[in-house]
Amino acid sequence: MYGTSKPGDGRAEFKVNKDNVLQARAAIRGALHKHGEQLREHVRNFRMKPCGTDVVSTEVAEVWNWVLDEAPDSDRNKILDYLKMLNALVDNLEKTARLYGYTDEDIARGFPRNTD
């Protein structure tokens, strides 16, 4: 089980077992591969330009840039932290798969070898 979610806290919880650990890892890893770099690219451009040269426009842009990009708890940092957490989850699922006895080949495939 990953996480300790509470209703409304924005976190998800799911349980893995020997039957689904490889598929869970493959699904999360695939989504990260497909969307992770796009998100990283977008957050590099989170800065807002002032819509004018007046004081209000420049000060509003400064405040939004702080919120979006510069603050320790900025939206940019939250997204990057989320991506790091998902990468750590993939690593933990791989370790769990190994504990269940799956091989490197099984893990790379995302499903166990057919033993029939």
Side-chain angles (χ1 to χ4, degrees):
M1 183 165 52
Y2 185 81
T4 55
S5 66
K6 298 174 188 166
D9 72 358
R11 290 189 265 177
E13 183 176 298
F14 62 92
K15 295 180 182 181
V16 294
N17 55 47
K18 186 173 182 174
D19 296 328
N20 68 7
V21 67
L22 293 177
Q23 293 84 359
R25 179 189 174 275
I28 295 166
R29 187 171 181 261
L32 273 169
H33 180 74
K34 183 175 182 181
H35 302 293
E37 191 51 43
Q38 290 174 337
L39 284 168
R40 283 183 196 88
E41 183 62 34
H42 287 300
V43 298
R44 287 185 193 109
N45 301 312
F46 257 18
R47 303 206 43 91
M48 178 181 168
K49 294 179 183 175
C51 61
T53 57
D54 58 285
V55 173
V56 173
S57 295
T58 57
E59 288 183 4
V60 165
E62 285 178 26
V63 170
W64 272 110
N65 286 333
W66 172 257
V67 170
L68 293 171
D69 189 57
E70 299 167 7
D73 65 342
S74 69
D75 292 339
R76 175 178 126 346
N77 286 337
K78 288 175 185 175
I79 291 169
L80 293 174
D81 287 346
Y82 180 68
L83 292 172
K84 288 177 195 172
M85 185 273 308
L86 288 175
N87 278 304
L89 175 58
V90 169
D91 291 343
N92 286 335
L93 289 169
E94 182 173 333
K95 290 174 188 172
T96 302
R98 290 183 195 290
L99 291 173
Y100 281 129
Y102 288 112
T103 65
D104 289 341
E105 293 80 19
D106 294 332
I107 293 167
R109 267 194 312 274
F111 55 88
R113 180 182 35 224
N114 188 352
T115 58
D116 293 339

